[in-house]
Amino acid sequence: MLLNRLSLNRATLLHSAASRAKAIRPMAILNYSTAINPKHKAIFDQLDLQFENKGVFNGKWGGSGPMVDSINPADGTVIGRVQTGTVQELDETLKKMEAVKVMWRETPAPKRGEIVRQMRDALNDKLEPLGALVSLEMGKILPEGKGEVQEYIDICDYALGLGRSLNGQVVPSERPGHFMIEQWNPIGTVGVISAFNFPVAVYGWNSAIALVCGNPVVWKGAPTTNLSSVAVTKILEKVLVKNGLPGELCSLVAGGADVGQSMVDDERVKLLSFTGSTAVGRKVGETVAKRFGKSLLELGGNNAIVVMDDADLDLALRSVLFAAVGTAGQRCTTTRRLLLHEKIHDEFIEKLVKAYQSIRIGDPLEAGTLCGPLHTKAAVEHYRKGIEAVKAQGGKILTGGEVLDRPGNFVVPTITSISPDAEVVQNEIFVPILHTMKIKNLEHAIEINNSVKQGLSSSLFTRNPEALFKWVGPSGSDCGIANINLPSSGAEIGCAFGGEKETGGGRESGSDAWKQYMRRSTCVINYSGQLPLAQGIKFE
């Protein structure tokens, strides 16, 4: 009954984060193929993909690095291959981007917005096959795969409006005959290193905004989702060609850690957007800072939902189910911790366990599936170790805790009961394990919510106005996202997305996140013919 009522609406299907490419796909696979599976041929044909594809684009397609397999996490078969790029090819690409960046930054912003609008339409035309490719390659269920592409489409709509509203401000001058303004100008080449769990949307957030702000973009997606990177770039390429624009504006260099490191190191990359683990993100931030570049970091999340005793329990139950199980627990905004008021704890756990036990696990492309596979075999091992850690640290497995004996990377979504202070609770595991615990009151909930080192997303379920304003206020949740009566995942594009503390502090998508892709100048114009100095200083 509960699952039939689960509403995967547009907002909950769209984001989350971006999230972390924590697992390297192993060499061993179940089945090896050298041709496109007939079941997937229509998807590949509509996206102009072959079984073997080039993974470097800088106005022309190339790539001389290793050939990397893309593997279907639902059955372990190879679905296609991409020949990746090298450090040298990244250098060549950045050189070519330097040659076109002046032209693009001098193009009026409304005209740049028109190009992004055309990209939006091109993406919309390919929504169905591109969403299916995301599901096939990443492993998320088909509605979520399509929702991810829709998010890219939505941010293009937003960027179109920005083309006519990249506003500075006029500031009153203390000196007569002076006019003072703030002016925003393009920052330069933007590098995007995205993660496997949102192989389309995270690039879309960055690319659409960076382009309308006047910057060329170079992209390195996760090595395990190279086909999605190639497919998106081919869609954008056609728009650029149609308008007589250089392809270097939307460059792609698929590759491994060496390519990513070179992008982080290169001074030509003025802004580096990185989505991934906190450990890697810390190194990225330090490296970029040493060369006085700018970084935009979207890192770990260890998100909590709090359910008070006055909450709408049915609403909370459906929200927790989606937030904890959606994308098989591989969203950066996935709920990892569930804080239940002691008065409703037992009742809520009983209903939640029943809901978990009725979840359909299976092929993400099949209708009715709610939980697909984990992305890699390495992620399955993280799941195993997480279950072992729960037991070793005094926790109990209330349901789940199993790896399914079938092809692919399938595990059973798990609920635990454990102390909030346990080490396994303090550190995020990127799998569907939900830790539950009791709280006495709102203050107790806020203390536990804020006790972890990450600060991405959080949500409070209550009908009490005093509690909800406390939650979003200065002494409430310390996360970048502080929701009320909805899941921790499923962010809309209108506001900025990101978190605090070890989540990295970066902000992407809406609100004034566009300012990160530009540089600010304070401009004072003296039209008085005199030279009055600020603060009344006399220098005569």
Short mmCIF file of all heavy atoms in Angstrom, two decimals, residues 330-395:
data_model
loop_
_atom_site.label_atom_id
_atom_site.label_comp_id
_atom_site.label_asym_id
_atom_site.label_seq_id
_atom_site.Cartn_x
_atom_site.Cartn_y
_atom_site.Cartn_z
N GLN A 330 22.72 6.25 -3.19
CA GLN A 330 23.93 6.82 -3.80
C GLN A 330 23.75 8.28 -4.21
O GLN A 330 24.37 8.74 -5.17
CB GLN A 330 24.35 5.97 -5.00
CG GLN A 330 24.72 4.56 -4.62
CD GLN A 330 24.89 3.65 -5.83
OE1 GLN A 330 25.99 3.26 -6.18
NE2 GLN A 330 23.78 3.33 -6.49
N ARG A 331 22.90 9.00 -3.52
CA ARG A 331 22.81 10.45 -3.69
C ARG A 331 23.64 11.12 -2.59
O ARG A 331 23.74 10.60 -1.48
CB ARG A 331 21.37 10.92 -3.56
CG ARG A 331 20.46 10.54 -4.71
CD ARG A 331 19.05 11.00 -4.44
NE ARG A 331 18.17 10.73 -5.56
CZ ARG A 331 17.44 11.64 -6.20
NH1 ARG A 331 17.50 12.91 -5.80
NH2 ARG A 331 16.67 11.32 -7.21
N CYS A 332 24.17 12.29 -2.89
CA CYS A 332 24.87 13.02 -1.84
C CYS A 332 23.89 13.48 -0.77
O CYS A 332 24.28 13.74 0.36
CB CYS A 332 25.66 14.19 -2.41
SG CYS A 332 24.67 15.29 -3.41
N THR A 333 22.60 13.56 -1.13
CA THR A 333 21.58 14.00 -0.17
C THR A 333 20.78 12.83 0.40
O THR A 333 19.78 13.04 1.08
CB THR A 333 20.61 14.99 -0.83
OG1 THR A 333 20.13 14.42 -2.05
CG2 THR A 333 21.30 16.32 -1.11
N THR A 334 21.21 11.60 0.14
CA THR A 334 20.55 10.43 0.72
C THR A 334 20.48 10.53 2.24
O THR A 334 21.45 10.96 2.89
CB THR A 334 21.31 9.15 0.32
OG1 THR A 334 21.15 8.93 -1.08
CG2 THR A 334 20.77 7.94 1.07
N THR A 335 19.36 10.14 2.82
CA THR A 335 19.25 10.13 4.27
C THR A 335 20.05 8.97 4.84
O THR A 335 19.81 7.80 4.51
CB THR A 335 17.77 10.00 4.71
OG1 THR A 335 17.03 11.11 4.19
CG2 THR A 335 17.66 9.99 6.23
N ARG A 336 21.02 9.28 5.69
CA ARG A 336 21.87 8.28 6.34
C ARG A 336 21.46 8.05 7.80
O ARG A 336 21.70 6.98 8.35
CB ARG A 336 23.33 8.73 6.33
CG ARG A 336 23.84 9.23 4.99
CD ARG A 336 24.02 8.12 4.01
NE ARG A 336 24.46 8.62 2.70
CZ ARG A 336 24.42 7.90 1.59
NH1 ARG A 336 23.96 6.67 1.61
NH2 ARG A 336 24.84 8.41 0.45
N ARG A 337 20.87 9.08 8.42
CA ARG A 337 20.53 9.01 9.84
C ARG A 337 19.06 9.41 10.02
O ARG A 337 18.61 10.40 9.45
CB ARG A 337 21.43 9.95 10.65
CG ARG A 337 22.91 9.62 10.55
CD ARG A 337 23.77 10.65 11.27
NE ARG A 337 23.67 11.95 10.64
CZ ARG A 337 23.74 13.12 11.28
NH1 ARG A 337 23.88 13.15 12.59
NH2 ARG A 337 23.68 14.25 10.61
N LEU A 338 18.33 8.62 10.81
CA LEU A 338 16.93 8.89 11.08
C LEU A 338 16.75 9.06 12.58
O LEU A 338 16.96 8.13 13.36
CB LEU A 338 16.05 7.74 10.58
CG LEU A 338 14.55 7.86 10.85
CD1 LEU A 338 13.97 9.13 10.21
CD2 LEU A 338 13.82 6.62 10.34
N LEU A 339 16.37 10.28 12.99
CA LEU A 339 16.22 10.63 14.39
C LEU A 339 14.73 10.69 14.72
O LEU A 339 14.00 11.56 14.23
CB LEU A 339 16.87 12.00 14.67
CG LEU A 339 18.40 12.07 14.73
CD1 LEU A 339 19.07 11.52 13.49
CD2 LEU A 339 18.85 13.51 14.97
N LEU A 340 14.28 9.74 15.56
CA LEU A 340 12.86 9.59 15.86
C LEU A 340 12.57 9.95 17.31
O LEU A 340 13.24 9.46 18.23
CB LEU A 340 12.42 8.15 15.60
CG LEU A 340 12.59 7.64 14.17
CD1 LEU A 340 12.35 6.14 14.11
CD2 LEU A 340 11.65 8.37 13.22
N HIS A 341 11.54 10.79 17.49
CA HIS A 341 11.14 11.13 18.85
C HIS A 341 10.74 9.85 19.58
O HIS A 341 10.09 8.96 19.02
CB HIS A 341 9.98 12.11 18.83
CG HIS A 341 9.72 12.74 20.16
ND1 HIS A 341 9.03 12.11 21.17
CD2 HIS A 341 10.07 13.96 20.66
CE1 HIS A 341 8.96 12.89 22.23
NE2 HIS A 341 9.59 14.03 21.95
N GLU A 342 11.13 9.74 20.84
CA GLU A 342 10.93 8.51 21.59
C GLU A 342 9.46 8.10 21.70
O GLU A 342 9.16 6.90 21.82
CB GLU A 342 11.54 8.65 23.00
CG GLU A 342 11.01 9.81 23.79
CD GLU A 342 11.80 10.05 25.08
OE1 GLU A 342 12.84 9.36 25.28
OE2 GLU A 342 11.41 10.91 25.88
N LYS A 343 8.54 9.05 21.60
CA LYS A 343 7.11 8.73 21.71
C LYS A 343 6.57 8.00 20.48
O LYS A 343 5.58 7.28 20.58
CB LYS A 343 6.31 10.00 21.98
CG LYS A 343 6.53 10.62 23.35
CD LYS A 343 5.64 11.84 23.53
CE LYS A 343 5.85 12.47 24.90
NZ LYS A 343 4.98 13.68 25.10
N ILE A 344 7.18 8.22 19.33
CA ILE A 344 6.66 7.61 18.09
C ILE A 344 7.67 6.63 17.50
O ILE A 344 7.44 6.05 16.43
CB ILE A 344 6.28 8.68 17.05
CG1 ILE A 344 7.46 9.65 16.76
CG2 ILE A 344 5.07 9.47 17.52
CD1 ILE A 344 8.34 9.28 15.63
N HIS A 345 8.78 6.42 18.18
CA HIS A 345 9.88 5.62 17.64
C HIS A 345 9.43 4.21 17.25
O HIS A 345 9.62 3.77 16.10
CB HIS A 345 11.01 5.55 18.66
CG HIS A 345 12.14 4.65 18.26
ND1 HIS A 345 12.14 3.28 18.49
CD2 HIS A 345 13.31 4.90 17.62
CE1 HIS A 345 13.24 2.74 18.02
NE2 HIS A 345 13.98 3.70 17.49
N ASP A 346 8.84 3.48 18.18
CA ASP A 346 8.52 2.07 17.91
C ASP A 346 7.48 1.93 16.81
O ASP A 346 7.62 1.06 15.93
CB ASP A 346 8.01 1.41 19.20
CG ASP A 346 9.10 1.30 20.26
OD1 ASP A 346 10.28 1.58 19.94
OD2 ASP A 346 8.77 0.94 21.41
N GLU A 347 6.46 2.76 16.84
CA GLU A 347 5.43 2.72 15.80
C GLU A 347 6.01 3.01 14.43
O GLU A 347 5.71 2.32 13.44
CB GLU A 347 4.33 3.74 16.13
CG GLU A 347 3.26 3.88 15.05
CD GLU A 347 2.34 5.06 15.29
OE1 GLU A 347 2.47 5.73 16.34
OE2 GLU A 347 1.49 5.33 14.41
N PHE A 348 6.87 4.01 14.35
CA PHE A 348 7.44 4.41 13.07
C PHE A 348 8.37 3.32 12.53
O PHE A 348 8.32 2.99 11.34
CB PHE A 348 8.20 5.73 13.22
CG PHE A 348 8.49 6.43 11.92
CD1 PHE A 348 7.61 7.37 11.42
CD2 PHE A 348 9.63 6.13 11.20
CE1 PHE A 348 7.86 8.01 10.21
CE2 PHE A 348 9.90 6.76 10.00
CZ PHE A 348 9.02 7.71 9.51
N ILE A 349 9.20 2.76 13.39
CA ILE A 349 10.13 1.72 12.96
C ILE A 349 9.37 0.51 12.43
O ILE A 349 9.73 -0.08 11.40
CB ILE A 349 11.05 1.30 14.12
CG1 ILE A 349 12.08 2.40 14.41
CG2 ILE A 349 11.75 -0.02 13.82
CD1 ILE A 349 13.10 2.60 13.32
N GLU A 350 8.29 0.13 13.09
CA GLU A 350 7.51 -1.02 12.65
C GLU A 350 6.97 -0.81 11.23
O GLU A 350 7.07 -1.69 10.37
CB GLU A 350 6.35 -1.27 13.61
CG GLU A 350 5.49 -2.46 13.23
CD GLU A 350 4.34 -2.69 14.20
OE1 GLU A 350 4.22 -1.93 15.20
OE2 GLU A 350 3.53 -3.61 13.96
N LYS A 351 6.45 0.38 10.97
CA LYS A 351 5.91 0.68 9.64
C LYS A 351 7.02 0.79 8.60
O LYS A 351 6.87 0.35 7.46
CB LYS A 351 5.10 1.97 9.69
CG LYS A 351 3.82 1.88 10.50
CD LYS A 351 3.08 3.21 10.50
CE LYS A 351 1.77 3.09 11.28
NZ LYS A 351 1.02 4.39 11.31
N LEU A 352 8.15 1.38 8.99
CA LEU A 352 9.25 1.56 8.05
C LEU A 352 9.85 0.22 7.65
O LEU A 352 10.17 -0.01 6.47
CB LEU A 352 10.31 2.48 8.65
CG LEU A 352 11.46 2.88 7.73
CD1 LEU A 352 10.94 3.66 6.53
CD2 LEU A 352 12.50 3.69 8.48
N VAL A 353 10.01 -0.69 8.60
CA VAL A 353 10.55 -2.01 8.30
C VAL A 353 9.63 -2.74 7.31
O VAL A 353 10.11 -3.36 6.35
CB VAL A 353 10.73 -2.83 9.59
CG1 VAL A 353 10.98 -4.31 9.26
CG2 VAL A 353 11.89 -2.28 10.41
N LYS A 354 8.34 -2.66 7.51
CA LYS A 354 7.40 -3.29 6.57
C LYS A 354 7.53 -2.70 5.18
O LYS A 354 7.48 -3.42 4.18
CB LYS A 354 5.97 -3.13 7.09
CG LYS A 354 5.64 -3.98 8.31
CD LYS A 354 4.19 -3.78 8.73
CE LYS A 354 3.86 -4.64 9.95
NZ LYS A 354 2.44 -4.44 10.40
N ALA A 355 7.67 -1.38 5.11
CA ALA A 355 7.83 -0.72 3.81
C ALA A 355 9.10 -1.17 3.12
O ALA A 355 9.11 -1.46 1.92
CB ALA A 355 7.82 0.80 3.99
N TYR A 356 10.20 -1.25 3.88
CA TYR A 356 11.48 -1.70 3.31
C TYR A 356 11.35 -3.11 2.75
O TYR A 356 11.90 -3.43 1.67
CB TYR A 356 12.57 -1.67 4.38
CG TYR A 356 13.45 -0.44 4.35
CD1 TYR A 356 12.90 0.84 4.50
CD2 TYR A 356 14.82 -0.53 4.18
CE1 TYR A 356 13.70 1.96 4.48
CE2 TYR A 356 15.64 0.59 4.16
CZ TYR A 356 15.08 1.84 4.31
OH TYR A 356 15.88 2.95 4.27
N GLN A 357 10.65 -3.96 3.47
CA GLN A 357 10.57 -5.36 3.07
C GLN A 357 9.70 -5.57 1.83
O GLN A 357 9.71 -6.67 1.26
CB GLN A 357 10.05 -6.20 4.24
CG GLN A 357 11.05 -6.27 5.40
CD GLN A 357 10.51 -6.94 6.63
OE1 GLN A 357 9.29 -7.14 6.77
NE2 GLN A 357 11.38 -7.28 7.57
N SER A 358 8.98 -4.55 1.41
CA SER A 358 8.15 -4.67 0.21
C SER A 358 8.72 -3.92 -0.98
O SER A 358 8.10 -3.85 -2.04
CB SER A 358 6.73 -4.16 0.50
OG SER A 358 6.75 -2.80 0.88
N ILE A 359 9.94 -3.37 -0.83
CA ILE A 359 10.58 -2.65 -1.93
C ILE A 359 10.96 -3.62 -3.04
O ILE A 359 11.57 -4.66 -2.79
CB ILE A 359 11.84 -1.91 -1.43
CG1 ILE A 359 11.46 -0.75 -0.53
CG2 ILE A 359 12.70 -1.42 -2.59
CD1 ILE A 359 12.63 -0.11 0.19
N ARG A 360 10.65 -3.24 -4.27
CA ARG A 360 11.03 -4.07 -5.40
C ARG A 360 12.45 -3.69 -5.83
O ARG A 360 12.71 -2.57 -6.25
CB ARG A 360 10.06 -3.89 -6.56
CG ARG A 360 10.44 -4.73 -7.78
CD ARG A 360 9.46 -4.59 -8.91
NE ARG A 360 9.95 -5.28 -10.10
CZ ARG A 360 9.31 -5.30 -11.27
NH1 ARG A 360 8.13 -4.70 -11.39
NH2 ARG A 360 9.83 -5.93 -12.31
N ILE A 361 13.35 -4.66 -5.75
CA ILE A 361 14.74 -4.48 -6.17
C ILE A 361 14.92 -5.17 -7.52
O ILE A 361 14.47 -6.30 -7.71
CB ILE A 361 15.70 -5.11 -5.14
CG1 ILE A 361 15.48 -4.51 -3.75
CG2 ILE A 361 17.15 -4.95 -5.58
CD1 ILE A 361 16.20 -5.25 -2.64
N GLY A 362 15.54 -4.47 -8.47
CA GLY A 362 15.71 -5.13 -9.76
C GLY A 362 16.30 -4.23 -10.83
O GLY A 362 16.93 -3.21 -10.53
N ASP A 363 16.09 -4.63 -12.08
CA ASP A 363 16.59 -3.91 -13.24
C ASP A 363 16.05 -2.49 -13.23
O ASP A 363 14.84 -2.29 -13.22
CB ASP A 363 16.16 -4.64 -14.51
CG ASP A 363 16.80 -4.08 -15.76
OD1 ASP A 363 17.12 -2.86 -15.79
OD2 ASP A 363 16.98 -4.83 -16.74
N PRO A 364 16.93 -1.49 -13.25
CA PRO A 364 16.45 -0.10 -13.16
C PRO A 364 15.63 0.34 -14.37
O PRO A 364 14.89 1.33 -14.28
CB PRO A 364 17.74 0.71 -13.05
CG PRO A 364 18.81 -0.17 -13.61
CD PRO A 364 18.39 -1.57 -13.28
N LEU A 365 15.75 -0.37 -15.49
CA LEU A 365 14.98 0.00 -16.67
C LEU A 365 13.59 -0.62 -16.69
O LEU A 365 12.77 -0.28 -17.55
CB LEU A 365 15.73 -0.41 -17.93
CG LEU A 365 17.00 0.39 -18.24
CD1 LEU A 365 17.75 -0.22 -19.40
CD2 LEU A 365 16.65 1.85 -18.55
N GLU A 366 13.30 -1.51 -15.74
CA GLU A 366 11.99 -2.16 -15.70
C GLU A 366 11.01 -1.33 -14.86
O GLU A 366 11.34 -0.85 -13.79
CB GLU A 366 12.11 -3.56 -15.11
CG GLU A 366 12.82 -4.56 -16.01
CD GLU A 366 12.84 -5.95 -15.42
OE1 GLU A 366 12.27 -6.15 -14.32
OE2 GLU A 366 13.42 -6.85 -16.05
N ALA A 367 9.79 -1.19 -15.37
CA ALA A 367 8.76 -0.46 -14.65
C ALA A 367 8.48 -1.13 -13.31
O ALA A 367 8.43 -2.35 -13.21
CB ALA A 367 7.49 -0.39 -15.49
N GLY A 368 8.29 -0.33 -12.29
CA GLY A 368 7.97 -0.85 -10.96
C GLY A 368 9.16 -1.03 -10.05
O GLY A 368 8.99 -1.18 -8.84
N THR A 369 10.37 -1.01 -10.61
CA THR A 369 11.56 -1.12 -9.76
C THR A 369 11.75 0.16 -8.96
O THR A 369 11.68 1.26 -9.51
CB THR A 369 12.82 -1.39 -10.62
OG1 THR A 369 12.66 -2.62 -11.32
CG2 THR A 369 14.06 -1.47 -9.75
N LEU A 370 11.99 0.02 -7.67
CA LEU A 370 12.26 1.18 -6.83
C LEU A 370 13.72 1.26 -6.38
O LEU A 370 14.18 2.32 -5.99
CB LEU A 370 11.36 1.17 -5.59
CG LEU A 370 9.88 1.53 -5.81
CD1 LEU A 370 9.15 1.56 -4.49
CD2 LEU A 370 9.75 2.87 -6.53
N CYS A 371 14.42 0.15 -6.43
CA CYS A 371 15.83 0.14 -6.01
C CYS A 371 16.64 -0.65 -7.02
O CYS A 371 16.45 -1.86 -7.17
CB CYS A 371 15.98 -0.46 -4.61
SG CYS A 371 17.68 -0.42 -3.97
N GLY A 372 17.53 0.03 -7.70
CA GLY A 372 18.42 -0.62 -8.65
C GLY A 372 19.69 -1.09 -7.97
O GLY A 372 19.77 -1.16 -6.74
N PRO A 373 20.72 -1.40 -8.73
CA PRO A 373 21.96 -1.90 -8.17
C PRO A 373 22.86 -0.78 -7.66
O PRO A 373 22.68 0.39 -8.00
CB PRO A 373 22.62 -2.59 -9.37
CG PRO A 373 22.15 -1.76 -10.54
CD PRO A 373 20.74 -1.36 -10.21
N LEU A 374 23.84 -1.16 -6.86
CA LEU A 374 24.96 -0.26 -6.59
C LEU A 374 25.79 -0.14 -7.86
O LEU A 374 25.73 -0.98 -8.76
CB LEU A 374 25.80 -0.78 -5.44
CG LEU A 374 25.13 -0.78 -4.06
CD1 LEU A 374 26.04 -1.39 -3.01
CD2 LEU A 374 24.72 0.63 -3.65
N HIS A 375 26.57 0.92 -7.94
CA HIS A 375 27.25 1.24 -9.19
C HIS A 375 28.41 0.30 -9.50
O HIS A 375 28.68 0.00 -10.66
CB HIS A 375 27.75 2.68 -9.15
CG HIS A 375 28.29 3.19 -10.45
ND1 HIS A 375 27.58 3.15 -11.62
CD2 HIS A 375 29.49 3.73 -10.77
CE1 HIS A 375 28.29 3.66 -12.61
NE2 HIS A 375 29.47 4.01 -12.12
N THR A 376 29.12 -0.17 -8.48
CA THR A 376 30.31 -0.99 -8.70
C THR A 376 30.39 -2.12 -7.68
O THR A 376 29.73 -2.10 -6.63
CB THR A 376 31.59 -0.15 -8.56
OG1 THR A 376 31.67 0.35 -7.21
CG2 THR A 376 31.62 1.01 -9.53
N LYS A 377 31.25 -3.09 -7.98
CA LYS A 377 31.54 -4.16 -7.02
C LYS A 377 32.21 -3.59 -5.78
O LYS A 377 32.03 -4.10 -4.67
CB LYS A 377 32.44 -5.21 -7.67
CG LYS A 377 31.77 -6.01 -8.79
CD LYS A 377 30.61 -6.84 -8.29
CE LYS A 377 29.99 -7.67 -9.40
NZ LYS A 377 28.75 -8.35 -8.95
N ALA A 378 33.02 -2.56 -5.96
CA ALA A 378 33.67 -1.94 -4.80
C ALA A 378 32.63 -1.37 -3.84
O ALA A 378 32.81 -1.43 -2.61
CB ALA A 378 34.63 -0.85 -5.26
N ALA A 379 31.55 -0.81 -4.38
CA ALA A 379 30.48 -0.29 -3.53
C ALA A 379 29.82 -1.42 -2.74
O ALA A 379 29.42 -1.24 -1.58
CB ALA A 379 29.45 0.45 -4.36
N VAL A 380 29.67 -2.58 -3.35
CA VAL A 380 29.12 -3.74 -2.65
C VAL A 380 30.00 -4.09 -1.46
O VAL A 380 29.51 -4.42 -0.37
CB VAL A 380 28.96 -4.93 -3.60
CG1 VAL A 380 28.50 -6.17 -2.83
CG2 VAL A 380 27.98 -4.61 -4.72
N GLU A 381 31.31 -4.01 -1.63
CA GLU A 381 32.22 -4.29 -0.53
C GLU A 381 32.11 -3.24 0.58
O GLU A 381 32.21 -3.57 1.77
CB GLU A 381 33.66 -4.37 -1.04
CG GLU A 381 33.94 -5.62 -1.85
CD GLU A 381 33.56 -6.89 -1.10
OE1 GLU A 381 34.02 -7.06 0.06
OE2 GLU A 381 32.79 -7.71 -1.65
N HIS A 382 31.90 -1.98 0.19
CA HIS A 382 31.67 -0.94 1.21
C HIS A 382 30.41 -1.27 2.01
O HIS A 382 30.36 -1.07 3.23
CB HIS A 382 31.52 0.42 0.54
CG HIS A 382 32.79 0.95 -0.06
ND1 HIS A 382 33.99 0.88 0.58
CD2 HIS A 382 33.03 1.58 -1.25
CE1 HIS A 382 34.94 1.44 -0.17
NE2 HIS A 382 34.38 1.85 -1.29
N TYR A 383 29.40 -1.77 1.33
CA TYR A 383 28.16 -2.17 1.99
C TYR A 383 28.44 -3.30 3.00
O TYR A 383 28.00 -3.23 4.16
CB TYR A 383 27.15 -2.61 0.93
CG TYR A 383 25.86 -3.20 1.47
CD1 TYR A 383 24.76 -2.39 1.76
CD2 TYR A 383 25.72 -4.57 1.64
CE1 TYR A 383 23.57 -2.93 2.22
CE2 TYR A 383 24.54 -5.13 2.10
CZ TYR A 383 23.47 -4.31 2.39
OH TYR A 383 22.29 -4.84 2.85
N ARG A 384 29.16 -4.34 2.55
CA ARG A 384 29.48 -5.46 3.45
C ARG A 384 30.21 -4.97 4.70
O ARG A 384 29.87 -5.34 5.83
CB ARG A 384 30.36 -6.47 2.73
CG ARG A 384 29.71 -7.27 1.62
CD ARG A 384 30.73 -8.27 1.08
NE ARG A 384 30.34 -8.88 -0.17
CZ ARG A 384 29.58 -9.95 -0.30
NH1 ARG A 384 29.12 -10.53 0.80
NH2 ARG A 384 29.30 -10.44 -1.49
N LYS A 385 31.22 -4.13 4.48
CA LYS A 385 32.02 -3.64 5.60
C LYS A 385 31.18 -2.75 6.52
O LYS A 385 31.39 -2.74 7.74
CB LYS A 385 33.23 -2.89 5.08
CG LYS A 385 34.25 -3.80 4.39
CD LYS A 385 35.43 -3.00 3.86
CE LYS A 385 36.44 -3.92 3.17
NZ LYS A 385 37.60 -3.16 2.61
N GLY A 386 30.25 -1.99 5.94
CA GLY A 386 29.37 -1.17 6.75
C GLY A 386 28.48 -2.00 7.66
O GLY A 386 28.29 -1.66 8.84
N ILE A 387 27.94 -3.09 7.14
CA ILE A 387 27.12 -3.98 7.95
C ILE A 387 27.95 -4.60 9.08
O ILE A 387 27.51 -4.68 10.24
CB ILE A 387 26.49 -5.09 7.07
CG1 ILE A 387 25.55 -4.47 6.01
CG2 ILE A 387 25.76 -6.10 7.93
CD1 ILE A 387 24.40 -3.70 6.58
N GLU A 388 29.15 -5.02 8.75
CA GLU A 388 30.04 -5.60 9.76
C GLU A 388 30.37 -4.58 10.85
O GLU A 388 30.41 -4.91 12.04
CB GLU A 388 31.33 -6.10 9.09
CG GLU A 388 31.13 -7.28 8.16
CD GLU A 388 32.38 -7.61 7.36
OE1 GLU A 388 33.41 -6.91 7.56
OE2 GLU A 388 32.35 -8.56 6.56
N ALA A 389 30.59 -3.32 10.43
CA ALA A 389 30.93 -2.28 11.40
C ALA A 389 29.76 -2.00 12.34
O ALA A 389 29.96 -1.77 13.55
CB ALA A 389 31.34 -1.01 10.67
N VAL A 390 28.55 -2.00 11.81
CA VAL A 390 27.37 -1.78 12.65
C VAL A 390 27.32 -2.83 13.76
O VAL A 390 27.12 -2.52 14.95
CB VAL A 390 26.09 -1.82 11.80
CG1 VAL A 390 24.85 -1.90 12.69
CG2 VAL A 390 26.00 -0.59 10.90
N LYS A 391 27.49 -4.08 13.40
CA LYS A 391 27.42 -5.17 14.37
C LYS A 391 28.57 -5.06 15.38
O LYS A 391 28.37 -5.27 16.59
CB LYS A 391 27.47 -6.51 13.65
CG LYS A 391 26.27 -6.77 12.74
CD LYS A 391 26.43 -8.06 11.96
CE LYS A 391 25.25 -8.33 11.05
NZ LYS A 391 25.41 -9.58 10.25
N ALA A 392 29.76 -4.73 14.89
CA ALA A 392 30.93 -4.65 15.77
C ALA A 392 30.83 -3.49 16.75
O ALA A 392 31.43 -3.54 17.83
CB ALA A 392 32.20 -4.53 14.93
N GLN A 393 30.08 -2.45 16.39
CA GLN A 393 29.99 -1.26 17.22
C GLN A 393 28.71 -1.21 18.04
O GLN A 393 28.28 -0.14 18.49
CB GLN A 393 30.13 -0.02 16.33
CG GLN A 393 31.51 0.09 15.69
CD GLN A 393 31.62 1.18 14.65
OE1 GLN A 393 30.89 2.18 14.70
NE2 GLN A 393 32.52 1.01 13.69
N GLY A 394 28.07 -2.37 18.22
CA GLY A 394 26.93 -2.47 19.12
C GLY A 394 25.58 -2.20 18.49
O GLY A 394 24.57 -2.12 19.21
N GLY A 395 25.53 -2.07 17.19
CA GLY A 395 24.26 -1.82 16.53
C GLY A 395 23.53 -3.10 16.17
O GLY A 395 24.07 -4.21 16.25
#
